[in-house]
Amino acid sequence: MVTGARREGVLAVLVFGLVAALFLWRPLLAGSRGVFVPNDLVNNMDRAYPATVGTPAQNELLSDVTLYYYPYARYAAGRLAQGQFPLWNPLLVGGTPFHATAQAALLDPVNLLTRPFGDAVWVLGAWLRLTLAGLGVYGLLRALGRRPVAGVAGGIVFAYCAFLTVWLNYSVTTAAIWLPFALWATVGLVQSGRASRLAALAAVLGVQFYGGHPETSFVIGLTWAAFALTRLTRYGQQAGIRPTLGRAGQLTVAAVLGVALGLGQLAPLLDLIARSELLRSREIALTAAGAAGIHNWATSLQLLIVTVVPNFSGTPTEYNYWYPLGQVNFNEQASYCGLSALGLAGVGLRYRVPGRGFFAVAGLGALVLMLHLPALDVLYALPGFRQGYGARWALLFSLCVAVLAGLGLEGLSARAVGYGRTAWAWALGFGLPLGGVLALYAMLRSGTVPSWLTHHRARLLIGVLDPLHGTVYWPFLFVAGGVLVVATLALARPQRRLPQQIAVLVLLTLLIGDGLTFGSSYNPVIPVARNLPPPPIAGWLQARLGHSRFTAAADILVPNLALLYGLRDLRGYEDLVPQEYARVFNSLLSPSGAESFKGPLSSGDSNRLDVAAVRYILTPRRLDSSATGGLVHRARVGSINVYENTHALARAYGVYAARTCNSAKAAARALDEATFDPHRTVLLEGVVAPDQVVTGPPPPVRFVSDKAEQVILDAEFAHPGYLVLADSWAGGWQADVNGQPTPILRANGVFRAVHVAAGRHRIRFSYRPPLVYTGSAVSGGALVVILGLFVWDGLHRRRRRIPARSTEAQLEPRSFTLPARYQDTELP
């Protein structure tokens, strides 16, 4: 029996590995000649890179991969290759925590396995995630007592669902793939109560936090809690109160261990979120969305339509994508699981087996949440639901469809549902949306435009819905094939098994074909030569920038591309920017960036550039002489004009005078004053600065070491004063002067400063975030406990399997079987 289970496990891994490889056939065939990232999009959106005439980006909607995840992955890989764990990112927005942001997913198991392979990480990581997604659903269905055919069908549907495939290279998928494993481990723990099942559940719950997407973690946690409650309720009906309380205690211990395991990521992340601009900006965005009517019934209708007709509004890969009804982009509306899968899920709803009730109710609830119905605005105001945007519930919806589709295929293969009724239901059910699409197309071609469409949008829809446009109608062809298969089964003799086995293979093939034609080409493969070659302006800055920063117009070295070249950028594409940084530098961090310098440079902007050590400014055109102020045109590199800020302070400098400011807002107001001179005075928060006037040159400051987590400076002060380091103030930074610890003051609203006495000094800034170290210690302890539970359970089971030896008699082997009432009902 054990050998059979192991054999089945190996076969399952091979099957889903092959399924994942089939989905990724393009990047796998490209091999070392291609890269599985959409970095070709910069050629048409960034002036630093040469525009590629006639070859537009394959999918511009995936810009987050290029501008966020790819630079982060390259930065992390480079630091790890040097034997350094990247706690701090010194190159963006004045410096920001790196590990704590979570979306870098440094400790995600798949990333740990694949990042050493360089840019091959993307296809290797995608293959592993798709394989794990399929295996998770397979294991869940098998744990629920279902046959392998159900597990294979469910695994294919989930691995190929739109939610995973459009977010394939995002941290959304990195976290999402662990949901079926959490439910699988829960079934095993409630059924057996074994320590290894408890450890497995704790490990999965903890690992998903390292996937780097807290919104998805919220959906996973809420789904797991509801599922665990239903399993406990069912178990209690069979086993009684006391065993149920024991299982509840085990589930609680597993949850606590899981949170403890994830605390190394969770603790610094929550602290960073609390201090960031994210929550406030999202609240403003949600309020604005409500005022604009974005969350309206038209948007909900569009989201419902694309669940069945995914390319109803075009697709970015065909350059015909648009917003027909609402304001939700293609990725955010991705909920398609396949028409064939939806048909099988409908059959699964009729298949009376234990476990289907939860997935039916949960799937319906997820669909309602996913559609972002205006009637649910009150619900979205709740903590968690506000952050867990409606589209994230497509994860739960897709999992429920996958499980129900597996049940449906098993029901068909076991003749537990009527073939004739199924064929008629599929034909009618999917014929209605097909008929609606064709009727809308005919109406538009006749010149009749509904009130909810403008004539411009009507012309766009005519092109998208043209019957010759295959991507809209491919799903209906697959479901038509399914109708023919089921209809053939209805005509076949019930005693013959061969037609049923062939039908199962055909239906599995239709599931694969449906998923492949929708999502296989969504994430592009680009030639290695187009994978962000260093542009000339990057080399120019590398030779001259030194310890200082640059800033640029919005379309020059788009954030976060400076990470790839080791350049410090005042800007940054980062969700968790500190509130203080956003308030002080808001005028320079606007989408227009340095384009705002077309008019005269205000004293406030000039002061901000100076205190932030911004040495160079990149613009697409020459500035008016009235706008330059202290900016001097130094070069033209390609189509980019380079201006030097000759008034910029060094990133580390000394001053003798200080002025007290109570907040970042007060510091911003002070920087706006025309009479304020940042070269002679520093703005300090939380201290009473002494009044002193010192004449003479500023104290010299020299960099001894300038690393990410440690900066060492030498300075010589003629009088007591302040050493200012224009790097972001953040909890976890410590300072010492000549080896003696000293408090770090918040300078100019966002940066760091220390008070120093007269004389020569060596000042050291070191980043040792206590939440990271404390959380990691707790996580390490939880990991030891989890591994100990696995070992203890393995030794315990081994002792039970060794038969008692006796010279008196040969004992008969005894087998122990869990009573049927504790197990899920098997098929007759």
Side-chain angles (χ1 to χ4, degrees), residues 342-671:
L342 289 173
L344 287 173
V347 176
L349 290 173
R350 297 178 56 228
Y351 187 33
R352 298 182 179 275
V353 291
R356 65 165 184 155
F358 171 82
F359 294 100
V361 174
L364 178 61
L367 177 63
V368 170
L369 289 167
M370 182 182 71
L371 295 181
H372 232 303
L373 299 176
L376 295 178
D377 284 344
V378 175
L379 180 61
Y380 288 123
L382 297 175
F385 286 88
R386 176 182 291 272
Q387 285 72 45
Y389 183 70
R392 305 296 178 244
W393 294 100
L395 166 61
L396 177 55
F397 173 75
S398 302
L399 177 62
C400 292
V401 170
V403 170
L404 292 172
L407 297 180
L409 187 58
E410 183 182 278
L412 287 173
S413 67
R415 302 190 68 89
V417 292
Y419 291 148
R421 290 183 178 180
T422 298
W424 278 109
W426 285 8
L428 293 175
F430 296 116
L432 289 176
L434 176 60
V437 170
L438 293 174
L440 177 61
Y441 174 74
M443 180 191 305
L444 296 174
R445 287 301 301 266
S446 69
T448 305
V449 180
S451 60
W452 48 271
L453 272 178
T454 64
H455 285 277
H456 173 66
R457 291 181 172 183
R459 288 194 299 270
L460 291 173
L461 258 184
I462 288 174
V464 171
L465 301 183
D466 190 315
L468 296 179
H469 184 214
T471 57
V472 173
Y473 298 97
W474 270 111
F476 294 101
L477 295 179
F478 287 112
V479 80
V483 170
L484 291 176
V485 170
V486 178
T488 303
L489 285 175
L491 300 175
R493 295 180 180 179
Q495 297 81 6
R496 300 184 64 182
R497 296 291 299 173
L498 184 59
Q500 293 176 7
Q501 295 169 353
I502 295 175
V504 166
L505 291 176
V506 173
L507 289 173
L508 289 174
T509 303
L510 291 174
L511 291 176
I512 291 175
D514 203 346
L516 283 177
T517 54
F518 169 76
S520 182
S521 61
Y522 192 79
N523 289 273
V525 184
I526 66 171
V528 172
R530 297 186 66 185
N531 186 30
L532 299 177
I537 189 62
W540 194 96
L541 289 172
Q542 285 172 335
R544 296 166 176 83
L545 196 59
H547 301 286
S548 299
R549 292 190 177 89
F550 79 97
T551 190
D555 59 350
I556 299 177
L557 278 183
V558 180
N560 296 337
L561 296 182
L563 270 176
L564 301 175
Y565 314 114
L567 301 172
R568 286 183 172 82
D569 191 347
L570 179 71
R571 308 162 299 166
Y573 181 32
E574 172 54 63
D575 288 334
L576 302 179
V577 173
Q579 296 175 11
E580 294 79 11
Y581 195 89
R583 289 168 184 167
V584 171
F585 289 102
N586 184 59
S587 61
L588 296 178
L589 297 176
S590 62
S592 60
E595 291 282 18
S596 61
F597 301 146
K598 288 185 294 186
L601 196 64
S602 69
S603 58
D605 286 344
S606 180
N607 287 338
R608 285 171 173 80
L609 292 173
D610 291 351
V611 299
V614 176
R615 176 66 58 184
Y616 293 104
I617 297 170
L618 314 180
T619 68
R621 59 184 62 89
R622 294 290 291 262
L623 301 178
D624 294 338
S625 58
S626 62
T628 56
L631 305 182
V632 177
H633 189 270
R634 291 300 187 197
R636 183 173 176 86
V637 183
S639 63
I640 300 170
N641 291 283
V642 183
Y643 284 84
E644 182 180 1
N645 178 18
T646 57
H647 293 169
L649 286 158
R651 214 176 97 242
Y653 64 96
V655 292
Y656 294 113
R659 173 175 162 183
T660 302
C661 286
N662 295 324
S663 66
K665 286 185 178 180
R669 289 194 297 268
L671 289 171

Side-chain angles (χ1 to χ4, degrees), residues 65-66 81 89-90 140 184 188 213 220 307 373 383 406 477 490 517 522 582 608 795:
V65 176
T66 297
N89 176 6
L140 171 60
W184 176 9
H213 204 263
I220 291 173
T307 301
L373 299 176
L477 295 179
T517 54
Y522 192 79
R608 285 171 173 80
L795 294 175

Side-chain angles (χ1 to χ4, degrees), residues 265-309:
Q265 181 68 79
L266 198 57
L269 170 63
L270 293 178
D271 176 67
L272 188 60
I273 289 175
R275 294 186 292 104
S276 74
E277 184 73 1
L278 177 68
L279 298 183
R280 189 179 74 89
S281 61
R282 285 203 173 181
E283 184 173 352
I284 294 172
L286 286 172
T287 303
I294 291 177
H295 298 159
N296 52 37
W297 292 104
T299 302
S300 298
L301 175 61
Q302 179 188 348
L303 292 172
L304 180 61
I305 289 174
V306 296
T307 301
V308 181
V309 190

Side-chain angles (χ1 to χ4, degrees), residues 333-346:
Q333 68 188 23
S335 58
Y336 183 66
C337 299
L339 286 188
S340 303
L342 289 173
L344 287 173

